[in-house]
Amino acid sequence: MSTTSQELDQKQAVTTLRRKDLLGIAELSPGEIELILDTAEAMKEVGTRPIKKVPALRGKTVINLFYEPSTRTRTSFEIAEKRLSADTLNIAIGTSSVVKGETLADTALNLEAMSPDMIVLRHASSGACHFLSRVCRSAIINAGDGMHEHPTQALLDAFTIRERKKKLAGLKIAIVGDLLHSRVLRSNIHLLTKLGADVWVCGPPTLIPTDIRRFGVTATSAVEEAVRDADVIMLLRIQLERMEGAYFPSLREYFRVFGMTEARMHLAKSDVMIMHPGPMNRGVEIASEVADGPYSVILDQVANGVAVRMAVLYLLAGGAEHEEAA
Amino acid sequence: MPVVMDADRIGRTLTRIAHEIVERNKGTDDLALVGVRTRGVPIARRIARTLREITGQDIPTGSLDITLYRDDLMRHAVGPQPLVRKTDIQFSIDNRKILLVDDVLYTGRTTRAALDALIDYGRPKAIQLIVLVDRGHRELPIKADYVGKNLPTAPEESVQVRLLEIDGEDEVVLETGGGA
């Protein structure tokens, strides 16, 4: 945990994002993360105006290339791009040449021949964004790659926590659910530990990755232990579509043992925040009373997603040009 | 590094501008102050304070960040993106006379950006421009309504406004360019 470069950049405020792509949280320094969160605060104000649009990315073209279904993330990126005046287009695999057998690299290079400035990629394979960033000149933003990372989700989660709690350092954050298949978990672990939170992860033993403790988190299968005195409880979706075997007896059994009920929630601090990246399986990882209850910030997370994505798009738009110039 | 305005002079100048505002607008009805970040904001607050002393009325005061409206964003390889700060205008600007406040008027490009930004918040009845220093060299047809000090400068010179709230002291300094 003693990374001197991280300590260094916390002393002098980071004011720029000197990178072409946002591939994951793993590569970011704490200072860069805080720069994105600070910029997102300014971007959030844009969404409160009568005219919700600023000219910052005028003339920039952004392609949203989604190889997996998505409602929230794709819409959120599109709104963020439009509020910054970028020209956007959405490509969903169902209607594209991918169904005719085109590879990811070929699709991307063909799109790139039309000179977009940024490509937002969601893909089922871990590492797809890293691969594309080596092939493409455009800035690549990871909107979720397989079981690897979902950086903008972690950033909006951190933004939402910071907005309420004013800080992340020292908070007890319990993440409960399908740890094995979750890219949201991986990005969140990187981000929350970099900013000094006390991260607990919890799920059935079959869904806990073996090396998870290496990332500086506490892992347990006792949900009561994970949520006791927690400042934040984050639920993760049980990703049935990524499961090939039987990881637990049944969804009802899962809910009985791990589901977030009001009784379990009350073990946490009295001002606990309940978070979920969506889409929710009500009655599986979370009870409806909790999801819709007064402690839930699930819809705030969605609202903040737009501001955080605006910040990322804005900061990367400068970073890419800088790199070319240098 | 000649000091062109000291703390006393800045104080007297802002008091004079406050009186000019009252005279020109026949009072302070429908007025609001909007400072351009960073140094326009404390200047706007000081003028609001003086206006309260003169008229007994509170003038709504806000701050405007123009970064997202700059005309040099993305235009050439200017390096990394400038930092965006929050705009904070807690009142409707519709049908108000907005007094836009900045520290230095130079090319006029910041003011152009500020006008565009303001218009996105509504339709003010009028916008008047207040600057502490007008150093000339306009590149756009923009003129200030209230000027603290007209300061003839060479393009390679730079005008540094330092304010108590941000820099710990009040002064305006003319720095010669080229050397340090």
Side-chain angles (χ1 to χ4, degrees):
Chain A
M1 287 298 284
S2 62
T3 36
T4 47
S5 71
Q6 294 187 354
E7 283 164 12
L8 194 73
D9 83 14
Q10 275 183 327
K11 276 181 194 131
Q12 54 194 62
V14 175
T15 56
T16 58
L17 208 54
R18 288 170 190 276
R19 44 181 79 245
K20 172 176 158 282
D21 311 299
L22 177 67
L23 303 176
I25 300 294
E27 299 89 42
L28 297 181
S29 71
E32 287 177 306
I33 292 166
E34 283 179 355
L35 170 67
I36 296 172
L37 300 181
D38 291 344
T39 306
E41 276 181 31
M43 295 299 182
K44 188 168 182 180
E45 184 271 326
V46 175
T48 65
R49 302 179 186 179
I51 295 176
K52 298 176 183 57
K53 202 175 183 77
V54 292
L57 293 196
R58 216 153 42 101
K60 297 275 170 187
T61 307
V62 185
I63 294 179
N64 300 315
L65 183 57
F66 277 66
Y67 281 80
E68 276 190 325
S70 165
T71 315
R72 242 168 313 275
T73 306
R74 196 190 56 70
T75 313
S76 178
F77 265 109
E78 193 177 348
I79 292 178
E81 291 150 8
K82 291 190 159 144
R83 288 200 178 153
L84 290 170
S85 302
D87 295 312
T88 69
L89 64 150
N90 298 306
I91 298 172
I93 39 158
T95 57
S96 76
S97 288
V98 173
V99 293
K100 300 177 190 165
E102 193 172 53
T103 65
L104 171 62
D106 280 336
T107 303
L109 288 173
N110 277 276
L111 293 172
E112 192 150 55
M114 296 180 251
S115 317
D117 298 283
M118 300 191 190
I119 296 174
V120 177
L121 179 68
R122 151 87 46 113
H123 200 280
S125 300
S126 307
C129 297
H130 288 75
F131 168 69
L132 217 59
S133 81
R134 290 194 294 273
V135 183
C136 292
R137 282 170 46 87
S138 320
I140 306 294
I141 299 177
N142 185 352
D145 62 329
M147 301 191 290
H148 175 233
E149 280 225 43
H150 190 351
T152 56
Q153 178 69 43
L155 286 163
L156 75 88
D157 289 340
F159 183 89
T160 308
I161 298 170
R162 208 179 69 154
E163 200 173 41
R164 296 265 172 139
K165 307 279 185 192
K166 307 300 171 210
K167 55 160 192 178
L168 287 155
L171 296 182
K172 179 178 179 183
I173 300 178
I175 307 178
V176 184
D178 182 349
L179 309 176
L180 187 60
H181 300 99
S182 177
R183 54 195 173 208
V184 175
L185 173 75
R186 283 168 187 69
S187 288
N188 260 308
I189 287 180
H190 285 306
L191 197 160
L192 296 171
T193 54
K194 277 175 202 241
L195 294 191
D198 176 21
V199 182
W200 288 59
V201 298
C202 173
T206 46
L207 290 175
I208 300 180
T210 36
D211 280 348
I212 194 104
R213 287 174 185 86
R214 254 187 25 209
F215 293 102
V217 302
T218 311
T220 175
S221 284
V223 67
E224 285 79 10
E225 195 188 336
V227 303
R228 181 162 292 120
D229 296 323
D231 297 281
V232 177
I233 300 173
M234 194 182 288
L235 288 324
L236 297 174
R237 187 171 62 92
I238 296 301
Q239 303 195 30
L240 291 172
E241 77 278 13
R242 291 189 212 274
M243 292 185 190
E244 282 158 2
Y247 289 90
F248 47 84
S250 71
L251 291 176
R252 277 182 60 188
E253 168 90 358
Y254 179 88
F255 181 70
R256 200 177 56 75
V257 181
F258 293 99
M260 194 48 54
T261 57
E262 285 193 310
R264 287 196 177 116
M265 182 182 74
H266 287 308
L267 294 171
K269 290 214 176 111
S270 58
D271 60 347
V272 68
M273 297 168 65
I274 301 290
M275 306 178 78
H276 193 302
M280 274 188 283
N281 292 317
R282 288 169 184 265
V284 179
E285 66 264 3
I286 187 166
S288 273
E289 309 87 79
V290 175
D292 304 327
Y295 300 96
S296 166
V297 296
I298 294 169
L299 294 177
D300 297 290
Q301 290 174 267
V302 179
N304 290 336
V306 174
V308 164
R309 289 176 177 118
M310 286 172 75
V312 167
L313 289 159
Y314 168 78
L315 291 167
L316 284 183
E321 291 201 13
H322 183 69
E323 203 166 75
E324 276 168 36
Chain B
M1 277 200 307
V3 175
V4 290
M5 291 177 93
D6 60 13
D8 282 348
R9 174 106 196 246
I10 291 173
R12 283 196 302 275
T13 301
L14 293 181
T15 305
R16 188 201 83 221
I17 288 176
H19 282 283
E20 282 180 25
I21 291 167
V22 178
E23 183 187 13
R24 179 163 169 165
N25 296 287
K26 301 178 182 71
T28 52
D29 292 346
D30 305 329
L31 288 185
L33 286 151
V34 173
V36 178
R37 280 191 190 274
T38 306
R39 285 178 180 69
V41 178
I43 298 176
R45 295 218 179 92
R46 289 190 200 181
I47 294 174
R49 210 184 309 139
T50 311
L51 285 171
R52 190 182 334 115
E53 285 163 14
I54 299 170
T55 67
Q57 282 184 299
D58 279 317
I59 314 295
T61 305
S63 55
L64 186 68
D65 185 275
I66 57 115
T67 312
L68 298 168
Y69 293 82
R70 282 171 58 151
D71 62 5
D72 55 357
L73 270 186
M74 321 281 171
R75 197 138 285 267
H76 45 88
V78 286
Q81 296 287 65
L83 211 57
V84 189
R85 293 194 168 81
K86 207 168 157 181
T87 289
D88 187 17
I89 299 178
Q90 304 284 352
F91 48 88
S92 164
I93 69 164
D94 284 336
N95 293 317
R96 274 188 205 276
K97 285 190 260 183
I98 302 297
L99 301 164
L100 188 65
V101 185
D102 204 355
D103 56 348
V104 179
L105 180 57
Y106 181 27
T107 60
R109 289 177 190 270
T110 301
T111 307
R112 195 283 310 163
L115 292 172
D116 276 357
L118 260 186
I119 298 297
D120 279 0
Y121 286 86
R123 186 178 187 280
K125 189 191 282 176
I127 301 176
Q128 298 169 8
L129 179 62
I130 301 170
V131 296
L132 185 59
V133 176
D134 182 349
R135 60 166 294 191
H137 305 286
R138 215 77 76 240
E139 293 168 5
L140 296 171
I142 280 169
K143 183 172 167 292
D145 300 275
Y146 310 88
V147 179
K149 181 177 173 57
N150 279 299
L151 185 64
T153 58
E156 63 272 15
E157 290 172 321
S158 95
V159 177
Q160 299 299 325
V161 172
R162 286 196 260 277
L163 297 171
L164 205 57
E165 296 88 332
I166 296 166
D167 313 289
E169 58 180 343
D170 271 354
E171 64 177 10
V172 179
V173 176
L174 184 63
E175 288 177 351
T176 43

